[in-house]
Amino acid sequence: MDRLDKLNLPADIKKLDKSELYDLCHELRQLMIQSVSKTGGHLASNLGVVELTVALHCVFDTAFDRLVFDVGHQSYVHKLLTGRYDRFHTLRQFGGLSGFPKPSESKHDAFIAGHASNSISVGLGMARARTLSRRDYSVISVIGDGALTGGLAYEALNDTGESGEPLIVILNDNGMSITPNVGGMAKYLSKQRIKPSYAAFKKKYRRLMEKLPGGRHIYRFTHGVKSAFKQALLHCSMFEEMGLQYAGPIDGHDLRDLIEALSWAKSLGEPVLIHVITRKGKGYIYSEKTPDVYHSVNSFDHKKGVLPIATGNACFSTIFGEELLKLAGQDFRVCAITAAMTGGTGLTEFAGKFPDRFFDVGIAEGHAAAMAAGMASQEMIPVFAVYSTFLQRSYDMLLHDVALSNLHVVFAVDRAGLVGADGETHQGIYDVGYLQTVPNMKILSPASFSELREMLRHAVLALDGPVVVRYPKSAEGRYKDGFIQNGSFSFARCLREGSDLTLVTYGINVNTALDAADILQERGISAEIIKLNYISPIDIDTVSASLRKTGRLLVLEECAEAGCVGERIAAYLAQNAMALKSLRLLNLGSRFIPQGSIDKLREMCGIDTSGVVRAAVEDCHMMHGSLSAGTDAGARVEDERGIPNNEETEDAAEMEDTGDPDEAGDADITVKPADAPAIAAADIGGEQGT
């Protein structure tokens, strides 16, 4: 990587000739292949945008101009060209570079990204702010054809054309969603209109017509004739009908054409869309053949190009797909819906066997939820398989279209909890809080493959109204029991009896609770484990019965604190004046969680086995008296660390180095004597992140 080592990037990129630029592109590809094969990440999409990204840096200065990526998983080349080459080996690692654009990481990252279809909206906002503040910089939004399946992108395009704001939209089309224009004349006209001479003539002609008497009418007439002629030859006129200039299709791997088109767009001074055709996975034979396989990869042998064979590769996603396939075979009403995540949600086999009942709607989660409601209203049983982080985009439809009519839609919420290397934008830690606000919603949380099978069957065939079954991607742990016990199911279950502490949890965190209980037993502490099968509604009777025996409550969850199960249990106890010796909520606090391995993040947040053991030991050895949950008891509950909720998650790596368990982010409370001054509200949260 001699050139990358020697260049002062991105400044030096403007000094290179075309031959040197192509050499640079080759080096960038080789570096990404070698590095991503070790760290994992989004490979094929980044290999496809090498020339496009290099061309952008030849024309623009991203320290001054605003470059907005849609989704952002294709920003690796941009990172390498903007001073992060030396840290690229830390990509997606704990304390390392994010796999997505991140303004706190570099001034060259204009806006954080992770979800789809928002780049044009964000870019237009920046353009309007530029105009209002009378500044002068270019705004460029890069959006893929996949993200263009989201309705938000069309809302933004419509507003952009109407606004007249200078904004450059680059449509990165890898040929999967949008059909390129065909024919020699179409290609000829596209090339002609991006030439500087054409743009200069157009501007002069418009100014001349504005000065002549009746010139505006002449301009409108000639412009109409030109538009009609162009529409007859260039069949992609949708963008121009929205008010944007259009150029394309352009070969996304031809630096000369790319630089010429970008320079033209920069000089135009009005909204413009440049349609660029790229090849996903370009430059690496294995990813060119199967770009979908190399879209997001774990570590692999880049010389052989063979992804490692997973040992025991069953995970909750694959089990879900298998069971839904069985259900569809038994009931013709069962349909599967996904939002551009067929393989990720385990639905590939379903799509092949029941193509008439499988619907991939593209990156359109709101549409998927509303469509599911329509299907349910006509007595079908739609199952919408969606990642937790993307279900957020459907919240209005959950309320208005599904729950309001109490329609039987099943939401299979995949990637629930921490997801690891994709970081803040993808952690599935908010659904517990917002889903429980939806009236009529039932939420089940399986802890094993058997439970997932049985809970899914129960949700599809036995329940009515909206139902959520939430689960992680991971494999199951030591807990392997089923949901059905002795021929019936329960909302909650006591897995292990104890006398000193009630440990309430759900989902795969049951494994952590069981491991912690074993260690606590060795230390003379008897923990009773209550496993919640439903987290909405909560079986408060089973929890209360355990608390009357132990007097201490610890709730373990892998979710944000706001709206967590522990908060709801604590509220019930307060309303019913139930006195406890201690109450502690272990969750992820009120902050964004950075990238890193799931084990490392659990350790950082204090919800791993050692964190649970530490919290339980502290609570059981507490000598501060009892906590009265009654409103008149005068109990004071506060964060014993006194840390304000505005700590930056960027300091996560520093937390690891300190070794201070109180910096681990567990959402705990310390009970003060009952005669302490009362406060209006209890702060039981961790640090607030960025």
Side-chain angles (χ1 to χ4, degrees):
M1 306 304 167
D2 294 339
R3 195 176 300 278
L4 285 168
D5 281 324
K6 296 174 182 177
L7 290 174
N8 176 29
L9 296 171
D12 284 356
I13 199 169
K14 293 178 171 62
K15 303 174 184 177
L16 303 179
D17 61 29
K18 292 296 186 296
S19 175
E20 291 171 320
L21 287 173
Y22 277 114
D23 288 343
L24 176 62
C25 290
H26 176 74
E27 283 193 21
L28 288 165
R29 280 197 171 90
Q30 295 308 306
L31 174 61
M32 285 193 296
I33 292 167
Q34 293 173 21
S35 186
V36 174
S37 70
K38 297 175 183 176
T39 64
H42 293 90
L43 182 58
S45 54
N46 281 282
L47 293 175
V49 297
V50 174
E51 286 84 5
L52 173 59
T53 309
V54 167
L56 281 165
H57 282 280
C58 286
V59 176
F60 301 99
D61 177 2
T62 55
F64 179 69
D65 298 313
R66 311 297 193 259
L67 176 59
V68 182
F69 287 96
D70 209 287
V71 183
H73 62 297
Q74 75 283 49
S75 62
Y76 296 1
V77 185
H78 170 69
K79 288 176 182 279
L80 287 167
L81 295 176
T82 52
R84 286 168 275 187
Y85 165 68
D86 291 340
R87 297 185 63 207
F88 196 68
H89 66 282
T90 70
L91 185 74
R92 304 172 80 242
Q93 308 301 303
F94 186 77
L97 292 179
S98 171
F100 300 89
K102 197 171 184 180
S104 61
E105 186 178 284
S106 171
K107 65 181 180 181
H108 294 275
D109 292 357
F111 202 81
I112 198 164
H115 290 192
S117 309
N118 69 332
S119 62
I120 304 173
S121 298
V122 171
L124 180 58
M126 291 178 171
R128 280 177 161 149
R130 172 196 59 204
T131 299
L132 290 170
S133 59
R134 296 178 181 174
R135 287 181 286 174
D136 182 21
Y137 54 81
S138 296
V139 182
I140 311 99
S141 295
V142 180
I143 184 169
D145 56 330
L148 206 62
T149 62
L152 181 63
Y154 292 93
E155 296 173 25
L157 281 169
N158 186 57
D159 192 20
T160 297
E162 182 70 22
S163 74
E165 285 284 353
L167 171 65
I168 302 168
V169 178
I170 299 174
L171 172 55
N172 173 33
D173 179 3
N174 58 28
M176 294 184 176
S177 297
I178 297 175
T179 304
N181 293 316
V182 294
M185 182 58 75
K187 293 179 180 178
Y188 172 77
L189 288 177
S190 292
K191 286 193 173 184
Q192 291 303 310
R193 64 200 307 240
I194 64 174
K195 288 185 176 180
S197 57
Y198 174 82
F201 170 77
K202 185 176 176 181
K203 285 184 178 181
K204 290 179 181 178
Y205 176 69
R206 179 182 292 178
R207 291 194 196 104
L208 177 62
M209 289 298 104
E210 286 176 350
K211 293 178 180 178
L212 291 176
R216 289 178 180 268
H217 296 291
I218 298 173
Y219 178 79
R220 290 194 193 101
F221 174 76
T222 56
H223 180 72
V225 172
K226 182 200 73 171
S227 297
F229 176 69
K230 183 172 59 182
Q231 185 172 353
L233 294 170
L234 293 171
H235 302 294
C236 185
S237 61
M238 174 186 68
F239 303 114
E240 289 169 306
E241 289 175 356
M242 288 182 172
L244 288 83
Q245 290 287 339
Y246 172 84
I250 293 169
D251 183 349
H253 304 295
D254 187 314
L255 282 169
R256 183 182 301 278
D257 285 355
L258 286 168
I259 292 171
E260 188 176 57
L262 292 170
S263 300
W264 164 77
K266 182 178 181 180
S267 68
L268 199 59
E270 56 186 279
V272 58
L273 184 140
I274 301 176
H275 186 176
V276 176
I277 305 295
T278 60
R279 183 173 185 181
K280 197 171 183 179
K282 183 175 174 60
Y284 186 46
I285 187 170
Y286 302 108
S287 61
E288 286 186 1
K289 289 180 178 178
T290 54
D292 54 331
V293 173
Y294 287 85
H295 172 74
S296 180
V297 296
N298 296 317
S299 58
F300 67 99
D301 186 339
H302 71 87
K303 293 180 180 178
K304 296 180 180 179
V306 179
L307 297 175
I309 299 174
T311 56
N313 57 355
C315 64
F316 280 90
S317 303
T318 58
I319 298 301
F320 159 76
E322 292 171 4
E323 192 62 27
L324 190 64
L325 193 67
K326 294 177 184 177
L327 289 167
Q330 296 168 13
D331 193 325
F332 77 94
R333 298 173 300 163
V334 175
C335 301
I337 302 171
T338 184
M341 291 292 173
T342 302
T345 54
L347 290 174
T348 301
E349 192 174 349
F350 189 108
K353 189 169 184 179
F354 298 108
D356 293 342
R357 286 189 273 156
F358 172 76
F359 306 95
D360 184 346
V361 301
I363 304 176
E365 292 82 4
H367 162 61
M371 186 184 78
M375 297 178 75
S377 74
Q378 302 304 305
E379 300 182 350
M380 300 302 288
I381 306 176
V383 180
F384 178 21
V386 58
Y387 292 5
S388 170
T389 187
F390 300 136
L391 181 62
Q392 297 161 192
R393 299 152 68 94
S394 304
Y395 184 70
D396 180 59
M397 292 74 192
L398 293 177
L399 284 167
H400 182 272
D401 301 321
V402 178
L404 193 59
S405 298
N406 199 32
L407 294 170
H408 184 42
V409 177
V410 178
F411 296 89
V413 180
D414 201 332
R415 270 65 166 182
L418 293 169
V419 299
D422 282 334
E424 295 96 326
T425 58
H426 284 65
Q427 310 288 12
I429 62 177
Y430 303 106
D431 61 275
V432 171
Y434 69 76
L435 286 174
Q436 58 93 17
T437 68
V438 179
N440 304 320
M441 182 71 79
K442 306 169 198 65
I443 309 173
L444 292 83
S445 187
S448 68
F449 291 167
S450 292
E451 282 195 345
L452 174 56
R453 291 188 182 97
E454 294 170 357
M455 286 185 177
L456 181 62
R457 183 169 292 272
H458 181 68
V460 170
L461 301 180
L463 296 178
D464 57 14
V467 187
V468 164
V469 182
R470 67 183 304 272
Y471 48 88
K473 179 188 178 183
S474 66
E476 63 183 351
R478 61 182 280 189
Y479 179 83
K480 291 180 171 60
D481 289 357
F483 175 51
I484 306 297
Q485 298 291 323
N486 300 319
S488 63
F489 75 92
S490 60
F491 283 79
R493 178 184 171 201
C494 179
L495 294 186
R496 175 173 180 152
E497 293 190 355
S499 57
D500 297 322
L501 173 77
T502 296
L503 204 171
V504 176
T505 191
Y506 53 90
I508 61 168
N509 288 299
V510 163
N511 300 297
T512 302
L514 289 169
D515 291 343
D518 290 342
I519 297 172
L520 290 170
Q521 189 67 43
E522 295 174 358
R523 300 189 183 185
I525 296 175
S526 176
E528 181 155 296
I529 299 177
I530 302 298
K531 174 188 175 299
L532 301 178
N533 294 324
Y534 277 70
I535 61 174
S536 184
I538 298 171
D539 182 358
I540 200 67
D541 291 340
T542 298
V543 175
S544 298
S546 177
L547 289 174
R548 281 191 287 271
K549 179 169 54 171
T550 67
R552 296 182 178 89
L553 174 63
L554 191 158
V555 184
L556 171 64
E557 304 179 72
E558 195 170 295
C559 68
E561 70 168 352
C564 67
V565 168
E567 281 192 347
R568 283 179 276 157
I569 293 175
Y572 172 87
L573 299 176
Q575 289 174 341
N576 290 272
M578 187 170 183
L580 297 178
K581 299 172 186 175
S582 69
L583 187 159
R584 186 186 296 242
L585 309 185
L586 285 182
N587 52 57
L588 302 179
S590 181
R591 58 174 169 180
F592 292 109
I593 307 299
Q595 79 268 7
S597 70
I598 292 176
D599 287 343
K600 174 59 70 177
L601 296 178
R602 286 174 178 157
E603 177 188 353
M604 182 192 83
C605 296
I607 63 167
D608 61 342
T609 300
S610 61
V612 175
V613 170
R614 182 175 62 247
V617 169
E618 290 174 0
D619 287 354
C620 289
H621 293 163
M622 193 178 290
M623 301 300 293
H624 294 298
S626 65
L627 166 65
S628 172
T631 56
D632 60 348
R636 182 177 183 182
V637 185
E638 65 182 26
D639 187 333
E640 66 182 355
R641 293 164 296 174
I643 298 175
N645 288 341
N646 58 4
E647 297 290 320
E648 296 286 341
T649 56
E650 304 304 323
D651 294 333
E654 294 180 16
M655 287 187 209
E656 179 190 12
D657 294 335
T658 63
D660 185 350
D662 282 342
E663 289 295 325
D666 52 344
D668 59 9
I669 59 174
T670 297
V671 181
K672 299 294 183 179
D675 59 352
I679 58 173
D683 176 11
I684 54 175
E687 301 95 2
Q688 173 70 42
T690 55

